[in-house]
Amino acid sequence: VAPNIRRLLLRGNQIGDKAAKQLAQALLCLHAPSGEVHKGWCAHLWYLDLRENHISADAALAIAKSIESQRGTSTGVQHLDLSDNQVMDQGVKGLAAALLTNDVLKTLRLANNQLTNETAKYFA
């Protein structure tokens, strides 16, 4: 994985769930039993654009795990754009839960993801 990449723009590539899950795995910050954080991409990549990629709730949950893994770090993905996918309410629920332990992510874009009014309560 290229640690010098700061922005990854994959808009409109139709990567789908499989590739999105693999990317999420690569972004995990691994926590050792001692509490030490072993940083891979999580320490360097700060902007991730995944708009228009046919990403479903299932892959959004994998991305949420990588966002959650940034706890205890001062670096990581600060801007995540998942607009124009199929994240739906279930995926947003996972992302919102990940934000409870993440203070690095500053911008989360979810436009056009087949969300209902139910989604708002996850951020309340």
Side-chain angles (χ1 to χ4, degrees):
V1 180
N4 58 331
I5 294 177
R6 304 286 187 259
R7 292 171 38 117
L8 186 57
L9 309 172
L10 294 173
R11 178 182 183 179
N13 282 290
Q14 303 174 0
I15 65 171
D17 281 352
K18 183 177 179 182
K21 288 178 185 179
Q22 291 171 335
L23 179 59
Q25 185 69 31
L27 291 172
L28 283 173
C29 292
L30 303 177
H31 294 265
S34 65
E36 181 180 328
V37 179
H38 298 282
K39 301 174 185 175
W41 266 24
C42 73
H44 303 285
L45 188 69
W46 63 271
Y47 189 97
L48 181 57
D49 184 349
L50 295 174
R51 290 179 283 173
E52 303 168 9
N53 272 297
H54 301 286
I55 295 171
S56 74
D58 195 37
L61 292 173
I63 293 168
K65 284 185 182 183
S66 67
I67 296 298
E68 187 175 19
S69 78
Q70 294 177 4
R71 72 184 180 285
T73 68
S74 59
T75 59
V77 177
Q78 296 176 25
H79 305 281
L80 174 60
D81 195 339
L82 289 168
S83 299
D84 300 303
N85 283 292
Q86 293 90 36
V87 171
M88 304 179 79
D89 291 343
Q90 181 185 5
V92 172
K93 183 178 182 180
L95 289 163
L99 292 176
L100 294 174
T101 60
N102 176 300
D103 58 357
V104 177
L105 189 69
K106 305 297 182 215
T107 306
L108 175 60
R109 293 191 173 130
L110 296 167
N112 301 317
N113 268 291
Q114 303 172 19
L115 305 179
T116 67
N117 291 338
E118 189 76 8
T119 303
K121 75 177 184 180
Y122 302 134
F123 294 101

